Amino acid sequence: MLMAPLTGSTAAATAADPTGTAIDGPKVARTANAVTVSVPASAGAPGYTLDVATDELALTTRRAGKTVLATTSGDTGALRFTTADGTWQHATGVTDWTWKNGVLTVTADSTLDGATVQARITPGADRYQLDWDVHGGSPTQLGLTYDLSSAGHWYGHGEAETPQGGPGVNQPWPLEAGEVDHKAFGPASYNMIDPFWYTSKSTGLRVDTGNVMDVALNKGKDGLGTFIVESPDTYKATVFVESTPRDVYRDYIGIVGKPTKSDAPYEQYAKPLWNSWAQFYTKVDQEKLLDYATDLHDNGLDGHTIQLDDKWESNYGNLTWDPKTFPDPKGLSKKIHDMGFDFGVWVTLWINLDSANYQYAVDHGYLLMDAKDKTKPCDVTWWNGEAGIIDLANPEAKAWYEGNLKSLMDTYDIDGLKFDTRFFDEKCAPREGSEATDYQKLGTQLADEFDLQGAGIRVHWNKTAHEAGFVTRQVDKGTGWDSLRASASQNLAISTIGYPFVESDMIGGSGGQPAPTKDVLVRWAQSASLMPLMYASTSPVDTNDTTTGQKVDYDQETVDLYRQAITTHEKLAPYIWDQVQSTLKTGDPIMRPLFFDFPKDEASYTVADEWMLGPAVLAAPKLSTGATRSVHLPPGTWYDVNQGTVIRGPQTLKGYAAPLGVTPAFVNLKAQGADKAIKALKRADAPAASVLITPDAPATDAGKPFEVTTDVTNWSTGTLTSVKAALGLPDGWNAKAAGPTTASSLKNGATLTTTWTVTPAADARWGSHDLTGTATYNGSNGSQKVSDTVQAQVKAAPGSVQPPYLTTDTTSEDPQYAQAGDQFAIWAGGQDLSGWKDEKGVIYRDEAAGEKSTVQAQLVSQNSASPVGKAGIALANDLTAPEKGGYAVLVMTQSYGLEFMTDSDGDGKLDTWAGGGSTYHPAYLKLTRDGTTYTAYASKDGQTWSQVGTAQVPSAAGTEDAGMVASAANVNYPGENIEAVFSGFSVTS
């Protein structure tokens, strides 16, 4: 369609400064195809730029020059809307823009004749506000569409509806790892959701609306994120741009609020809640419930409450007992109390049409009215029939309902309640003067008057829900492994949209499927033991299969392992309670993804079956069949609570042993609360003590002393005797202890600390050398020995090389070199080592490689700021003048694996390439020459070789130079050098 010519103005760009002098704040500039907003870095904010494309309105957010979030373009469109006939339209070319008083206003044409889009962008230090409207065309809904890949991985959302059965049996993590198709995404939804998403590139999106949305992420594997508001009103969004995902989360809760209290007291964090639902579903009666409670009590399966779920009422909404199934509720309550449990019941605001209370509520105007006909009550369908909903915005209705609840509780000694169903439905009309979103707040206020017994309440989308500090229970899960895995990733989703006091659905699931198998039930209990709260139902003694009506008996091991999980959680409760108090101060989630604590650890962003519980505990329970699993440990020093060993991350433990009785968990020894966590989680059969060497990776020069410390800590409950620390060294090294190396006794929690001055041999080889700290002691299991090993790095020092080795370079910086026997080192700059730029430092042998020859070296290590810094081996007719022909290199890059490059036409420029894969060290590199045919090989051990590539180099002639090369590849890292260390260089002809 035709577009008006683009105009624009920055006349008011400095209007905020009365002197007219430019200020250090957002600035706007016009380029050929965009209007760019630049926000400088400031205290606590990294700064960013926002490019508003003018050919077709689209938004690209960049931080440090790299894209971190981008809308789509083309036929999809970025700012989209529907018309009355349901067809999608979108903004096209920008026709006008202004920058005034800190707001960039952009006007664009659209694909619909007569309709224009106006967007207002208000930049702040760590976010920008995006408000936009459609003028003309009678839009019915507005939506933003993003290219998911532009922002890395996506998280947030809450309980996600997916084609694979979410949220009941599926919860993708990250979100784009699966498909999300959530059509009724709104404030009245039963799902725990908030309109907030954040990404691995530390951006975030919040949509500020009280309307229903239609949200999809990677639907049909399309790679798109679509965020549609089903309203023609102004679309309001906030885009956060931060340094870490946790910073984005904190920005978000700075808007929506954080808990001001914990609704659950300490005991509800320490012990499970036992709810009858998954044990009996609606086939429950007084005798069954008492048998259930008695079995739990007699088998030592501790808990704070027995909670009677659905189907105790005479009819839904009556709040009176069914006399046939519960003939003596007062006596039932007493017997449960006598066993040491509190007693609670399930309630709802939904009153079935055939209940006695329904007509009373209708006659008194206590029910919500129908949205389409406000003269009649709103009838809604739920899993138990047809019902009306009590209107909490009507003070008289609320008082009537509360009075009935309190009378019930007083009469039958009921300690607390489980509120179920929703407080509003989109079929209903809000009371005059209220909005749909108000009912989440009203429900929150109602529930806050009662003890929710650790079952929490499912309210969301508003500030009151965030601040109330309720426990959040998940939507009903199935009973299989898929549901167990979903329960873990779903808690991560819920807790990182601002609801930190999370628990899984009932342990073992509650979705009306066949009873969980023994392994699923035990693994679920183990998983829940490492979450903030435990929510239980299916008894490990026996249960009922709702699909067959048959009794299911579990064996004694099931009972024992379930009890063990409960005990673990109780022992961990003091640490968890500390995290609750911390959350009340910071708003941070207790159960959170690894990358919240380790944002630079790239591998953490796709780990879906591990989590941090506070800063000290890494939970990695087994969530699938089998007896082993891989465990990813981020950077840090980790104590394995099952093995009693110390492990340094980052690393992935492949094939970690996790038989049914083992729950993998690790404690960050340098995190706050580590001592409490180890005391709670350490297995009784793990070694009583550990030894830890610090620092993790000491570095020194040959012959130069340095210090390390050994800490021998007693993690057992008893006292250790005859404790002795020692330090094992490489041959020719020595160590002298400053302070005691022995202790006659070491009490629980005490540490024997020894500082050692270590002196390497004067001729110590460059590279890594093992230092092994050991501790011997006598404990309850007799004499034992534990150890810890770190690698001390002996650094190469610049010097010179000896004949027959020579050096040369093609860099503007001054490279340096060193040799010690068969070891070599290069320190060099250089913009790149590739076809466009050949800048490197070289150690080589002149005329060493004949017509049939092999060049080989071990690349011990390399270190460069640039991820494409390169180090390896080379051949050429003359390495001082590659343009003389025969030129080829085989190098390892800092981060992107191998590169084999050759000069195919003899002009000195590398113009062929092969390689890829991952980077590793040491790397054994080999180039073979057979006349003009060069072949490259690489190996991790020097024994098993893999071919990287082969190439013809027609200009190769005579006996060639062979050597080692290094380039910093610092075109994007000006002034940075590379350090490369080699050994075992050889040329055979």
Side-chain angles (χ1 to χ4, degrees):
M1 64 181 296
L2 295 175
M3 294 190 303
L6 173 62
T7 60
S9 170
T10 57
T14 59
D17 184 355
T19 67
T21 305
I23 56 176
D24 190 20
K27 294 180 174 62
V28 172
R30 176 76 171 96
T31 59
N33 299 306
V35 178
T36 300
V37 180
S38 300
V39 177
S42 58
Y48 61 90
T49 60
L50 174 63
D51 287 341
V52 182
T54 53
D55 289 348
E56 181 176 292
L57 181 57
L59 308 174
T60 301
T61 307
R62 294 184 173 89
R63 184 182 58 241
K66 297 181 179 179
T67 298
V68 291
L69 183 66
T71 59
T72 53
S73 57
D75 292 339
T76 303
L79 278 61
R80 311 169 68 216
F81 59 96
T82 56
T83 53
D85 63 1
T87 58
W88 280 101
Q89 311 290 339
H90 62 83
T92 55
V94 173
T95 59
D96 188 32
W97 64 274
T98 61
W99 170 249
K100 185 176 182 180
N101 297 329
V103 179
L104 175 65
T105 302
V106 178
T107 303
D109 281 329
S110 79
T111 51
L112 179 65
D113 287 335
T116 59
V117 174
Q118 185 181 82
R120 296 166 300 285
I121 299 165
T122 308
D126 54 13
R127 72 198 71 182
Y128 57 87
Q129 183 71 26
L130 171 63
D131 298 340
W132 62 279
D133 304 275
V134 177
H135 299 286
S138 301
T140 57
Q141 50 187 4
L142 279 59
L144 280 174
T145 304
Y146 285 98
D147 173 6
L148 294 177
S149 65
S150 69
H153 301 299
W154 287 70
Y155 314 89
H157 189 99
E159 294 173 336
E161 293 187 358
T162 74
Q164 293 73 36
V169 299
N170 175 250
Q171 178 76 32
W173 184 272
L175 289 167
E176 86 287 345
E179 301 175 68
V180 176
D181 185 9
H182 208 142
K183 296 189 181 306
F185 187 86
S189 172
Y190 186 68
N191 294 318
M192 281 297 300
I193 51 177
D194 263 20
F196 169 62
W197 300 266
Y198 63 98
T199 76
S200 61
K201 290 189 178 180
S202 304
T203 51
L205 171 69
R206 177 191 180 234
V207 180
D208 183 8
T209 182
N211 293 299
V212 174
M213 297 181 66
D214 182 347
V215 175
L217 292 98
N218 202 30
K219 179 181 176 181
K221 303 293 184 180
D222 63 5
L224 301 178
T226 57
F227 307 92
I228 300 163
V229 177
E230 296 180 358
S231 167
D233 298 336
T234 300
Y235 193 114
K236 298 181 178 181
T238 302
V239 174
F240 303 100
V241 188
E242 280 288 7
S243 299
T244 70
R246 181 184 253 181
D247 289 337
V248 175
Y249 169 84
R250 288 174 172 172
D251 288 346
Y252 173 67
I253 63 167
I255 296 173
V256 300
K258 60 182 176 66
T260 59
K261 61 178 176 55
S262 168
D263 181 68
Y266 176 84
E267 186 183 30
Q268 292 175 11
Y269 285 95
K271 298 180 180 182
L273 160 66
W274 290 97
N275 179 285
S276 68
W277 176 247
Q279 182 74 5
F280 304 110
Y281 293 100
T282 57
K283 297 180 176 65
V284 65
D285 60 35
Q286 184 165 324
E287 181 180 358
K288 289 178 180 179
L289 190 70
L290 277 175
D291 286 346
Y292 173 65
T294 302
D295 276 349
L296 296 174
H297 175 268
D298 291 352
N299 282 276
L301 296 161
D302 205 359
H304 60 79
T305 297
I306 299 292
Q307 197 175 69
L308 173 58
D309 209 282
D310 193 355
K311 207 52 181 173
W312 60 270
E313 290 179 275
S314 57
N315 206 340
Y316 292 105
N318 278 351
L319 296 180
T320 57
W321 295 88
D322 184 336
K324 295 179 181 178
T325 51
F326 291 90
D328 183 16
K330 184 85 169 180
L332 169 68
S333 177
K334 182 179 187 305
K335 288 178 180 178
I336 288 175
H337 282 114
D338 288 346
M339 284 185 271
F341 297 108
D342 281 354
F343 180 50
V345 297
W346 172 96
V347 295
T348 175
L349 279 80
W350 295 38
I351 306 177
N352 272 15
L353 273 57
D354 56 354
S355 71
N357 270 347
Y358 178 79
Q359 193 58 50
Y360 182 89
V362 170
D363 293 343
H364 289 78
Y366 290 167
L367 300 180
L368 288 166
M369 306 306 284
D370 191 277
K372 294 181 179 179
D373 183 357
K374 296 181 182 179
T375 65
K376 66 178 185 178
C378 176
D379 291 344
V380 291
T381 301
W382 65 314
W383 57 85
N384 284 320
E386 295 287 323
I389 305 175
I390 294 170
D391 185 354
L392 291 178
N394 180 343
E396 293 179 358
K398 180 174 180 288
W400 172 71
Y401 181 67
E402 283 180 345
N404 287 342
L405 288 178
K406 290 177 180 177
S407 175
L408 173 75
M409 296 174 74
D410 291 344
T411 303
Y412 299 102
D413 295 329
I414 296 170
D415 303 294
L417 304 171
K418 173 188 172 181
F419 285 93
D420 209 350
T421 67
R422 293 170 287 138
F423 300 111
F424 188 77
D425 189 276
E426 284 86 359
K427 288 181 62 178
C428 307
R431 185 176 174 83
E432 186 176 350
S434 298
E435 298 179 358
T437 51
D438 293 331
Y439 284 83
Q440 291 282 357
K441 179 178 180 180
L442 292 165
T444 299
Q445 293 169 342
L446 169 69
D448 210 17
E449 298 180 29
F450 300 92
D451 180 0
L452 303 181
Q453 300 182 310
I457 191 168
R458 296 172 58 79
V459 290
H460 56 94
W461 206 284
N462 68 83
K463 194 176 184 72
T464 304
H466 283 278
E467 293 179 344
F470 290 128
V471 172
T472 300
R473 66 178 187 272
Q474 295 176 2
V475 71
D476 291 3
K477 294 287 177 294
T479 58
W481 291 109
D482 52 359
S483 294
L484 171 54
R485 288 188 290 272
S487 75
S489 54
Q490 203 162 93
N491 265 356
L492 295 177
I494 294 169
S495 64
T496 58
I497 60 170
Y499 304 98
F501 305 136
V502 292
E503 61 193 7
S504 81
D505 182 37
M506 298 168 188
I507 294 168
S510 67
Q513 296 179 354
T517 64
K518 168 186 174 178
D519 283 13
V520 169
L521 185 62
V522 169
R523 292 300 196 188
W524 205 314
Q526 292 170 342
S527 173
S529 74
L530 298 176
M531 295 177 179
L533 300 99
M534 292 184 77
Y535 184 30
S537 182
T538 300
S539 170
V541 179
D542 58 58
T543 190
N544 299 278
D545 189 328
T546 188
T547 63
T548 65
Q550 299 299 308
K551 183 180 179 183
V552 177
D553 289 307
Y554 296 107
D555 63 12
Q556 187 59 43
E557 185 184 38
T558 309
V559 176
D560 294 342
L561 292 178
Y562 203 122
R563 186 193 307 113
Q564 184 182 93
I566 293 172
T567 300
T568 295
H569 189 75
E570 285 194 51
K571 290 164 64 178
L572 194 57
Y575 170 80
I576 293 174
W577 189 247
D578 286 347
Q579 307 319 309
V580 173
Q581 306 313 306
S582 177
T583 292
L584 295 178
K585 295 176 183 177
T586 66
D588 286 351
I590 299 172
M591 180 178 172
R592 55 200 186 226
L594 305 187
F595 59 78
F596 260 45
D597 292 78
F598 304 96
K600 294 182 179 179
D601 183 40
E602 290 296 326
S604 294
Y605 285 88
T606 53
V607 176
D609 58 354
E610 301 176 28
W611 58 87
M612 295 302 298
L613 187 70
V617 176
L618 186 151
K622 177 71 175 165
L623 305 180
S624 59
T625 58
T628 64
R629 64 156 296 163
S630 291
V631 177
H632 175 69
L633 296 177
T637 306
W638 300 93
Y639 178 81
D640 182 339
V641 301
N642 292 293
Q643 304 295 330
T645 56
V646 175
I647 306 169
R648 287 174 175 79
Q651 65 172 291
T652 298
L653 310 178
K654 295 183 179 180
Y656 183 91
L660 192 57
V662 172
T663 307
F666 303 81
V667 176
N668 184 351
L669 287 175
K670 298 180 181 179
Q672 187 173 3
D675 53 344
K676 284 187 179 181
I678 292 175
K679 183 178 180 181
L681 296 174
K682 177 183 170 296
R683 286 177 64 98
D685 55 357
S690 69
V691 60
L692 174 66
I693 305 177
T694 53
D696 294 346
T700 189
D701 300 324
K704 183 178 180 180
F706 63 98
E707 286 189 349
V708 297
T709 299
T710 56
D711 290 312
V712 182
T713 303
N714 177 11
W715 300 112
S716 72
T717 56
T719 298
L720 305 180
T721 60
S722 302
V723 182
K724 182 178 180 180
L727 189 64
L729 304 167
D731 291 343
W733 293 40
N734 63 75
K736 183 177 181 181
T741 59
T742 62
S744 58
S745 65
L746 202 62
K747 294 182 178 180
N748 162 248
T751 299
L752 169 63
T753 299
T754 308
T755 299
W756 308 78
T757 300
V758 179
T759 304
D763 60 351
R765 290 180 64 81
W766 304 334
S768 299
H769 300 261
D770 286 349
L771 303 183
T772 300
T774 60
T776 56
Y777 60 88
N778 291 326
S780 59
N781 295 322
S783 178
Q784 290 194 341
K785 180 179 180 179
V786 292
S787 64
D788 180 33
T789 299
V790 298
Q791 291 191 322
Q793 189 79 16
V794 175
K795 300 180 293 182
S800 60
V801 299
Q802 292 83 48
Y805 293 95
L806 304 168
T807 63
T808 188
D809 72 272
T810 54
T811 70
S812 57
E813 299 97 339
D814 292 325
Q816 294 179 295
Y817 308 95
Q819 180 183 359
D822 70 342
Q823 293 186 290
F824 303 86
I826 302 173
W827 294 263
Q831 289 191 327
D832 203 358
L833 175 56
S834 64
W836 79 281
K837 190 75 72 171
D838 189 272
E839 296 187 349
K840 60 189 183 294
V842 187
I843 299 174
Y844 71 102
R845 286 180 56 187
D846 186 44
E847 297 186 354
E851 294 278 345
K852 290 183 179 292
S853 55
T854 299
V855 180
Q856 187 171 323
Q858 179 189 21
L859 176 60
V860 177
S861 64
Q862 68 189 99
N863 185 25
S864 65
S866 169
V868 291
K870 301 170 186 180
I873 55 178
L875 279 168
N877 294 343
D878 183 349
L879 277 172
T880 67
E883 66 274 9
K884 293 183 179 180
Y887 187 29
V889 300
L890 172 62
V891 295
M892 182 71 78
T893 63
Q894 182 73 29
S895 301
Y896 300 124
L898 294 158
E899 292 189 353
F900 171 46
M901 296 175 284
T902 68
D903 170 14
S904 66
D905 56 11
D907 64 355
K909 295 181 180 180
L910 298 168
D911 54 20
T912 73
W913 186 96
S918 58
T919 294
Y920 54 87
H921 297 99
Y924 294 83
L925 307 176
K926 181 164 64 177
L927 276 175
T928 65
R929 177 191 175 199
D930 185 358
T932 59
T933 302
Y934 290 3
T935 306
Y937 301 89
S939 171
K940 293 182 178 180
D941 58 9
Q943 302 296 320
T944 303
W945 294 87
S946 298
Q947 182 173 309
V948 181
T950 188
Q952 293 296 316
V953 186
S955 58
T959 304
E960 296 187 324
D961 294 351
M964 295 156 279
V965 298
S967 173
N970 63 11
V971 63
N972 292 318
Y973 299 83
E976 296 288 344
N977 284 348
I978 186 173
E979 178 189 89
V981 177
F982 304 85
S983 71
F985 178 81
S986 65
V987 184
T988 56
S989 295

